[in-house]
Amino acid sequence: MSTVVLTKDNFDEVVPGPAGKDFVFIDFWAAWCGPCRQFAPVYEKAAERHPDLVFAKVDTEAEQELAAAFGIQSIPTLAIIREGVLVFSQPGALPEAVLEDLIGKARELDMAEVKRKAAESAAAADPA
């Protein structure tokens, strides 16, 4: 499977909530960005090696609203959403071995624990 072009119009279809797809990897990029162009073939190869995962790309120039919603400050930025939860977001072009390691770690996450911690953090942040 190759990458999916992610836009604000197809976001809910590609990245459904907790009951939806298990994993979505999102590459935030722009055509003028040299490191983005370097990372693109690495990302495409990972998409081919892991057809069970969704690999999406967001052109930050065309989808400024979506990039802003994710708080993208620099590109490329890789984000991982698992079961509707943002579990990773980091700028920088990753080497192939690092991306593969990250995919493995994302697969190993205990999502019940991640959701429990997120709920605790939300409760602690809400003074009411």
Side-chain angles (χ1 to χ4, degrees):
M1 174 180 193
S2 62
T3 57
V4 176
V5 174
L6 186 60
T7 67
K8 67 178 182 171
D9 295 331
N10 71 356
F11 185 85
D12 289 337
E13 178 185 325
V14 176
V15 188
K21 292 184 176 72
D22 195 35
F23 280 104
V24 180
F25 287 75
I26 306 171
D27 174 23
F28 290 89
W29 68 283
W32 52 261
C33 167
C36 297
R37 289 193 307 270
Q38 278 184 305
F39 182 58
V42 171
Y43 191 72
E44 288 290 338
K45 282 184 194 172
E48 291 170 11
R49 275 193 303 275
H50 301 277
D52 59 317
L53 305 177
V54 175
F55 286 80
K57 293 180 75 75
V58 173
D59 179 345
T60 57
E61 293 292 307
E63 294 295 328
Q64 294 179 13
E65 189 177 326
L66 193 52
F70 276 82
I72 302 303
Q73 300 276 323
S74 90
I75 53 175
T77 290
L78 179 66
I80 303 172
I81 298 174
R82 184 162 171 205
E83 296 178 23
V85 178
L86 179 66
V87 296
F88 179 87
S89 181
Q90 178 177 305
L94 300 175
E96 189 172 337
V98 174
L99 179 57
E100 285 299 319
D101 186 53
L102 183 60
I103 292 168
K105 287 181 175 159
R107 287 184 186 277
E108 294 170 1
L109 282 175
D110 177 348
M111 287 309 295
E113 180 70 7
V114 169
K115 289 178 180 181
R116 184 186 65 73
K117 287 182 178 178
E120 286 175 3
S121 292
D126 184 10

